[in-house]
Amino acid sequence: MSASSASIINSSVFILTGFPGLDQYHPWFSIPFSSIYAVVFLGNCLVLHVIHTEQSLHEPMFYFLAMLALTDLCIGLSTVHTVLGVLWGLSQEIGLDACISQTYFVHGLSCTESGVLLAMAFDRFIAICNPLRYTSILTNNRVILMVAILMRSALSILPVIIRLKFFHYCRPHILFHSFCLHQDLLRLACSDIRFNSFYALALVICNLLLDAVLILISYVFILHTVLAIASREERLKSLQTCVFHICAVLVFYIPIIGLTMVHRFGKHLSPFVHVLMGNIYILFPPLMHPIIYSVKTQQIRSRMKQWFSLKLK
């Protein structure tokens, strides 16, 4: 073992990697990445601003949309400094405590976002299957309670995050991504990681998988109710209210499934694939959600037009 490798192993500093073998192109990669982060920040801030200022949007569905925009915004803010730091060549190093904190935010916010999408599916289920009781079921107090329940993931993930602090990382401290993930840190540990592995799998099943199943069940009931409507125009109108939420669900779950499959079964794949999937996982949903809901919501769309027209003057 070389002296440099030994110093990396013995230190509490981890090395973040960009796109392996393409280091000379990192400054060029930083251009689209910077643009995407800017769109994520501005788009989600605009959604939050419009929901806050437009009185007509003060209803449960848009409260959940605000929660979705907030989690997307926080995921972007928690990773932007390390991703662009690597691509700009400013720093590839991150301390153990900072890495664990970033891991907590990335995974905790992802689980929270899954819960928000489930709450939005429940909102659509009540609105279509039981419209006369919508306002009595989804009161502001109950919405606040649901949002509090959504924070379960922020607490449920703490046991595995805390244990990361006490692991012995005996392998070279080189991470596959330009931000920290739980799976990457486990790969470097020489301690007993069985609890973290099984607990993390249980969290995926209890949070992400269960949420996905419940969303699917809610849409089975929604489809059954819509098909019973006699008027074709009413059926189409009801389905159109769900299309954008379905798109938001797919935009969120497809990258997570892809990254999970790559980490579990893609050890033979090129490191480039791991890095690419990791970046899609943290950037694609926060980028697409404001676009999806700005197309759906006339108030958000008109405010975007006003904002861009002012910028162009």
Side-chain angles (χ1 to χ4, degrees), residues 61 68 72 113 117 120-121 124 215 219 239-255 284-296:
M61 183 62 178
L68 185 70
D72 282 337
E113 189 160 328
L117 291 170
M120 295 172 82
R124 291 300 85 203
I215 290 171
Y219 273 102
L239 287 174
Q240 284 173 356
T241 64
C242 300
V243 166
F244 296 97
H245 178 251
I246 293 172
C247 291
V249 169
L250 293 176
V251 158
F252 173 74
Y253 277 101
I254 289 176
F284 188 62
L287 173 68
M288 293 305 298
H289 285 157
I291 296 172
I292 291 170
Y293 281 100
S294 65
V295 172
K296 173 188 181 291

Side-chain angles (χ1 to χ4, degrees), residues 295-310:
V295 172
K296 173 188 181 291
T297 309
Q298 189 271 334
Q299 292 94 328
I300 298 176
R301 191 166 60 249
S302 61
R303 189 62 63 91
M304 281 188 170
K305 289 179 181 177
Q306 291 175 12
W307 188 80
F308 280 113
S309 63
L310 289 173

Side-chain angles (χ1 to χ4, degrees), residues 13-51:
V13 173
F14 292 81
I15 306 299
L16 299 166
T17 56
F19 292 91
L22 299 173
D23 298 44
Q24 67 272 27
Y25 298 111
H26 280 178
W28 293 104
F29 290 150
S30 70
I31 297 174
F33 273 83
S34 302
S35 303
I36 291 172
Y37 271 112
V39 172
V40 167
F41 180 78
L42 293 174
N44 285 289
C45 284
L46 183 60
V47 169
L48 289 169
H49 175 69
V50 173
I51 292 173

